DNA sequence: GGGAGCATGTAACGGGTTACATGATTGG
DNA sequence: CCAATCATGTAACCCGTTACATGCTCCC
């Protein structure tokens, strides 16, 4: 952790509700590290994307500015070398309170699922069976890759006592992607059966 | 099916790529019925939403106009009563070809998953265990509801020989939501274990 | 009478992405 | 030397939603 921050207290009014992305970014900071926007993006790629999604880097910078403007984070320039400038962000007590309230009280949006593979199989009357099977098979590979990646993430989380909840979620993620793989297999069997009859 | 349609052939240039929503709407029409925007919305709510998502009605109207402007659908006013007007849409051969090509050749986007429950558990260090369990338990209920709804949809699909592929996908959907329920149960067990230690 | 369903649309807004611009450092 | 990584940001664009507007019919 770096030295005491010195960001100007430019308080705007807090908007009634922030998008989930803002809470996700704030959440990344709630594990207590001082991080740059760039760091945040890397971390989102390595963990968030398995069960939520990883915002574009430009959006992360935007969210950080918004969060600072309402006092949920503070930042300071950290001249690492002589010339280069990077900006470190830290969650404020106000931000931590707001995030805690959000976790506890905000209504949980139903999970968003947009499954391009299912959409294409749903239109199976427009393709030949072999092409459909190929789509599902490719998706199976994808699920296996995700499973491997989330397992890797879980191993990393297991090294740090602060990350017990991320680890629980990554365990969930492993099961999720394993299920996705099995679902692909089951659909392949269903497609085979269709062709036989 | 109604009488031969008579829509003006106002061809614009076809954009290089349409959003998946446009293909989904076109896909609904590819099952061969002439439908209104309103019908499309109801049908999307009853089937698409289980594995993709159901666009807002206003967006459906917008997509229909776009699809018509590029010649993928045609429409005509169908005065059902003396006064009321509704507009029926039908897929064109050009639209069917384009959709077929899309199903066969377009790269399949990785599935989008935004799981608000997982996001909150990931931030479990900010909440008390009972609140976390409640969130997961509520999600379990949700999964069970979705499972019931998709089963119902599958029973409907099973009545029509044109809907074999939708039925395959709905079978997939049943397994998906059953898995989601089981995943919630497993996470509850993990949370219990955390509290014991 | 009034609410629910049928039916179509417009306008404003915000969320999120890609593309672009800049520039320094590190390592093969 | 060049590519990759670090690091930050702007601008254009589009997707999609909510809110609003309109009006009819059916049924309690």
């Amino acid at each position: 952790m770096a030295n005491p921050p010195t960001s100007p207290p430019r308080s705007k009014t807090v908007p009634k509700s922030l998008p989930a992305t803002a809470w996700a970014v704030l959440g990344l900071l709630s594990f207590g590290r001082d991080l740059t926007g760039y760091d945040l993006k890397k971390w989102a790629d390595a963990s968030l994307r398995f069960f939520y999604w990883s915002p574009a880097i430009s959006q992360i910078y935007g969210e950080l500015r918004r969060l600072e403007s309402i006092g949920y984070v503070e930042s300071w320039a950290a001249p690492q070398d002589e010339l280069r400038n990077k900006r470190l962000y830290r969650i404020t007590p106000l931000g931590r309170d707001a995030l805690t309230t959000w976790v506890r009280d905000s209504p949980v949006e139903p999970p968003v699922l947009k499954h391009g593979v299912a959409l294409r199989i749903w239109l199976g009357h427009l393709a030949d069976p072999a092409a459909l099977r190929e789509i599902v098979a490719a998706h199976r590979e994808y699920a296996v890759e995700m499973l491997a990646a989330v397992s890797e993430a879980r191993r990393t989380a297991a090294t740090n006592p602060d990350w017990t909840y991320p680890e629980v979620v990554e365990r969930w993620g492993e099961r999720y992607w394993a299920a996705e793989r099995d679902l692909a297999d089951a659909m392949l069997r269903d497609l085979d059966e269709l062709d036989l009859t």
Side-chain angles (χ1 to χ4, degrees), chain A residues 148-189:
Chain A
V150 73
S151 291
E152 169 64 25
R154 186 165 79 80
R155 273 191 296 277
T156 304
T159 63
N160 190 319
D162 289 345
W163 295 342
T164 42
Y165 286 104
E167 206 200 334
V168 167
V169 172
E170 277 147 9
R171 211 138 60 201
W172 177 89
E174 287 186 282
R175 296 193 194 105
Y176 180 91
W177 289 106
E180 195 70 8
R181 177 200 58 203
D182 296 344
L183 255 37
D185 286 333
M187 187 141 71
L188 282 170
R189 282 194 297 275

Side-chain angles (χ1 to χ4, degrees), chain A residues 77-159:
Chain A
Q80 40 171 5
D81 314 306
E82 309 79 55
L83 290 171
R84 265 206 287 180
N85 253 25
K86 60 180 185 180
R87 181 160 287 270
L88 285 172
Y89 287 87
R90 175 183 293 175
I91 193 169
T92 63
L94 184 65
R96 183 170 294 274
D97 284 353
L99 182 58
T100 302
T101 303
W102 180 77
V103 171
R104 196 175 0 103
D105 297 340
S106 72
V108 181
E109 333 74 63
V112 174
L113 176 68
K114 290 178 72 168
H115 209 292
V117 174
L119 182 58
R120 282 164 178 83
I121 306 307
W122 181 71
L123 295 171
H125 59 289
L126 297 172
D128 67 293
L132 293 180
R133 261 195 294 270
E134 218 171 297
I135 288 172
V136 179
H139 175 62
R140 188 199 190 277
E141 292 309 296
Y142 178 77
V144 169
E145 277 168 41
M146 289 294 276
L147 175 55
V150 73
S151 291
E152 169 64 25
R154 186 165 79 80
R155 273 191 296 277
T156 304
T159 63

Side-chain angles (χ1 to χ4, degrees), chain A residues 13-35:
Chain A
T13 46
V14 178
K16 19 188 169 299
S17 80
L18 290 166
T21 307
W23 298 116
V25 169
L26 196 56
L28 285 167
L29 288 169
S30 78
F31 291 91
R33 302 184 164 181
D34 302 334
L35 298 167

Side-chain angles (χ1 to χ4, degrees), chain A residues 15-90:
Chain A
K16 19 188 169 299
S17 80
L18 290 166
T21 307
W23 298 116
V25 169
L26 196 56
L28 285 167
L29 288 169
S30 78
F31 291 91
R33 302 184 164 181
D34 302 334
L35 298 167
T36 67
Y38 194 88
D39 294 332
L40 256 2
K41 171 59 176 167
K42 276 193 306 180
W43 197 9
D45 283 346
S47 70
L48 264 184
R49 75 168 167 120
F50 297 116
F51 56 90
Y52 211 72
W53 106 106
S54 189
I57 179 70
S58 64
Q59 202 197 352
I60 288 179
Y61 287 121
E63 291 296 349
L64 284 170
R65 277 191 298 270
R66 161 157 50 183
L67 289 170
E68 181 157 37
S69 83
I70 58 181
Y72 288 179
V73 303
E74 54 194 2
S75 77
W76 62 99
Q80 40 171 5
D81 314 306
E82 309 79 55
L83 290 171
R84 265 206 287 180
N85 253 25
K86 60 180 185 180
R87 181 160 287 270
L88 285 172
Y89 287 87
R90 175 183 293 175

